Structure formats: C-alpha cells, structure tokens
C-alpha cells in the first residue's frame, strides 16, 4: 500500500509538465515545499514490515531526489525559454545604443591647458608629494613657526607625525626643486592642495593649484608681467586683460594678486566675479631673496619670479559652473558634459 503510493508519486513527478513559472512554483510547493506530499509517507515508516523498511526508505529518497532534480531542470529550461521569448522582436541588425565613453574632469582639462601653455615657453613639469613636511611647505618659503602668515592657511597636520602635513599650496614644490636643481630653473608644478576650510559654494577643503617658478640671472618683474599676460591671452583669448594688485606673500617681494577680466554677460558671470567682471586667479611676485638663500641659491647672482594659481576658479569661469562642490561630487550626469582632446 505505502509502496504503491510512493510508486505513484514517482510516476506523477516524472510526468509533470509545468508550462510556466507559476506552474513550476506549484510543483515546488507540492513536492518540495515545507508541507510537501512526500513528507507524510516518511512518517509511515513505523508501519512497514521491518524487513522492507530499508527498501521503503530508499524508495522515498528516490521520490524526493527525483522531484529535486526535475525542479532544477525545469527551472533552467523555463529561464532559457523566457530569454528566447524576450529576444523575439529584437532587430539584431540595428546599430547598438551609444555607449558612454569616459570624459575628462573639468579640473583636469583646465590644468592640462595651463601646463600646455607654459610648456610652450619652456616650463618643465615638476610634480611632487601632497604629504609634505613643515620645512618645505612653510619654513623654506619664509614662513617660520611664529610667522603670522601661517594663520592665513589653515593646515591639516598628520596626527602621529609631528612634522608632516597635507601641503597647503604647491609653493612647497618650489622648495623641492630649488634644493635639488641648479638655476636656470623654469618649472610648472600642478597638483592638489588642502586647507581646513568650511566647504561652501566658493571654497573647498581640497583644490588644485599650478605653481610656476623661474630662476635665472637678471629675471625682472617685467618678465613676470609679460609671462602672465601671455598666459591670460592663451587661456582666455587675444583680448584678455589682466590687472595686478599689490599684495603680500611671505615668499615673494614685491607680491601681487592677478585678476583676469571676464566680463559680465550672464547671471553666472555676475555671481562668480561678484559683479565686477574681474576674477582673482593667482598670487605672484619676485622670489624673496631669503627663500633663495634658504634653498641654497645665491640671491646676489640669481633672481626669479613665482606664481601660484587656483584651478577650480578658472574651471568655474570657463564652464560657468556656479558651485565649486560640483567639482568634487563625482556625479556622472555632471561629468559627462565635459569634452576635451587633452
Ligand atoms: N601659495 C600662494 C597661495 O596658495 C599662492 C602664491 C602666491 C604662489 C605668490 C606663489 C607666489 O608662487 O609667488 O595662496
């Protein structure tokens, strides 16, 4: 009687033909679910003649494994069928949808343009570390421990390394280069810098600068001005205007801040330039003789100029982006809009 029932179930399972996922699920519940119909047969074990119990057990196991195997098989077949079904109606000769190629980050585009402009007049690329020591970032640049100018730049120090910090400006590369190369020196140093600043639409705790340094005999302020004008015209077109405002930096004397005239054509221009049309893009000056001395260069023989420009601001201007935070969010929808060959 029990054997017959098991035999019957086995045939039933073998002959079952679920046609779709719902029927397959019904199959699973019936034969493999927690209340499946094979289970009660196991509890009849006690009623079976002891001599036949082993065979009965084997039989029931066979019923169970057959159901499992069949379910696995049917599942694969149905999935295959569904896939073929969904492929029907697809035109295999149609061109594929456009794939998105990566695009350059606006900061990268602007930085590469700056590098290229200066390389055309002989400035070599000098890259250096972002984790810098106090000497190269401050002391060599004429900003000793108690110098008030240190307050100008809120610094991130490395907690467990007394002398190490995240560089606050690319001017640290000036010290790296001057202590390892002999004049004439003509370098451009791009890179990321960090300052402990509140993040807002106009400032961020990380940003990019490009530093320039030119040391030779008889370098004058006129050379500096001419170089900057050349830069502005290459970057912003032949009509670009710049103005230099006297300023103060510990590592240059005299020092100036450089504004580029952007004009006031759109709302965004007003906002970015605070309604003046002028935007400050860099600091510059003649390298302070003390800095040369600190780095082992004789100020009696050599002179030089230096400048350090912010990249984000120029990217905001170029692409009329209103908020600097967009540059660091990595939002694909924003980034996809930028194209450049370099
Ligand atoms: N390091 C300055 C800053 O981050 C910018 C700067 C000013 C760099 C004058 C220079 C320079 O090389 O000569 O604010």
């Amino acid at each position: 009687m029990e054997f017959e029932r098991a035999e019957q179930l086995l045939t039933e399972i073998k002959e079952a033909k679920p046609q779709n996922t719902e029927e397959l699920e019904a199959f699973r519940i019936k034969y493999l679910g927690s209340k499946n119909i094979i289970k009660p047969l196991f509890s009849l074990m006690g009623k079976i003649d002891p001599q036949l119990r082993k065979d009965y057990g084997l039989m029931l196991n066979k019923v169970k494994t057959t159901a499992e195997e069949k379910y696995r098989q049917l599942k694969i077949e149905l999935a295959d069928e569904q896939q073929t079904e969904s492929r029907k109606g697809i035109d295999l000769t149609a061109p594929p949808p456009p794939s998105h190629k990566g695009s350059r980050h606006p900061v990268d585009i602007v930085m590469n343009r700056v590098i290229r402009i200066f390389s055309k007049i002989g400035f070599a690329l000098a890259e250096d570390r972002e984790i810098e020591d106090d000497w190269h970032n401050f002391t060599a640049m004429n900003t000793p421990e108690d110098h008030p100018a240190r307050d100008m730049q809120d610094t991130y120090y490395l907690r467990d390394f007394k002398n190490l910090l995240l560089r606050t400006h690319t001017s640290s590369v000036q010290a790296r280069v001057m202590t390892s190369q002999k004049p004439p020196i003509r370098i451009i140093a791009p890179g990321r810098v960090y300052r402990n600043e509140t993040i807002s639409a106009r400032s961020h705790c990380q940003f990019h600068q490009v530093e320039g340094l030119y040391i030779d005999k008889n370098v004058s302020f006129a050379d500096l001005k001419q170089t900057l004008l050349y830069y502005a015209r290459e970057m912003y077109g032949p009509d670009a205007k710049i103005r230099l405002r006297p300023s103060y930096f510990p590592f240059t004397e005299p020092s100036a801040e450089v504004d580029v005239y952007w004009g006031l054509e759109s709302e965004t221009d007003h906002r970015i330039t605070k309604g003046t049309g002028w935007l400050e893009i860099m600091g510059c000056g003649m390298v302070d003789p003390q800095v040369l001395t600190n780095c082992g260069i004789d100020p009696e023989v050599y002179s030089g100029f230096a400048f350090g420009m912010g990249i984000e601001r120029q990217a905001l201007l170029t692409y009329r982006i209103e908020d600097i935070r967009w540059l660091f969010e990595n939002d694909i929808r924003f980034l996809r809009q930028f194209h450049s060959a370099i």
Side-chain angles (χ1 to χ4, degrees), residues 153 169 171 174 195 209 211 249 251-252 283-285 306-308:
Q153 304 185 349
H169 53 186
S171 301
Q174 286 192 36
R195 285 181 205 177
Q209 290 186 331
E211 192 82 9
F249 296 102
F251 28 90
T252 41
C284 67
F307 56 85

Side-chain angles (χ1 to χ4, degrees), residues 3 45-58:
F3 272 95
M45 194 67 86
K47 286 193 180 171
I48 305 288
D49 178 342
Q51 289 198 326
L52 297 174
R53 260 182 212 158
K54 189 174 164 216
D55 288 343
Y56 182 69
L58 286 172

Side-chain angles (χ1 to χ4, degrees), residues 137 141 152-153 168-172 174 193 195 207 209-213 224 247-257 280-288 305-310:
N137 195 82
M141 302 313 289
M152 287 162 61
Q153 304 185 349
T168 59
H169 53 186
T170 43
S171 301
S172 58
Q174 286 192 36
V193 301
R195 285 181 205 177
F207 52 100
Q209 290 186 331
V210 173
E211 192 82 9
L213 176 69
L224 170 61
S247 185
Y248 170 77
F249 296 102
F251 28 90
T252 41
E253 182 57 39
S255 305
E257 271 168 311
E280 185 215 317
I281 57 166
M282 67 176 116
C284 67
M286 301 306 291
V287 179
D288 193 299
F305 66 69
F307 56 85
M309 64 173 81

Side-chain angles (χ1 to χ4, degrees), residues 38 110 170 201 221:
I38 310 172
V110 172
T170 43
F221 201 87

Side-chain angles (χ1 to χ4, degrees), residues 278-298:
W278 291 95
L279 190 82
E280 185 215 317
I281 57 166
M282 67 176 116
C284 67
M286 301 306 291
V287 179
D288 193 299
Q290 187 58 49
V291 173
L292 295 175
T293 306
N294 292 346
C295 297
I297 293 174
D298 186 352

Side-chain angles (χ1 to χ4, degrees), residues 262-271 320:
W262 181 253
L264 287 169
E265 281 166 26
S266 74
E267 260 296 286
T268 316
D269 296 334
H270 273 85
R271 228 167 292 162
R320 293 193 152 83

Side-chain angles (χ1 to χ4, degrees), residues 22 24-25 27 52 65 79 92 101-102 140 153 157 160 171 185 193 197 252 281 314 321:
E22 289 80 39
L24 180 64
E25 181 58 5
F27 176 92
L52 297 174
T65 50
L92 294 177
K101 299 194 183 70
Q153 304 185 349
Y157 287 92
D160 298 326
S171 301
I185 290 170
V193 301
E197 275 186 32
T252 41
I281 57 166
Q314 296 186 75
I321 302 163

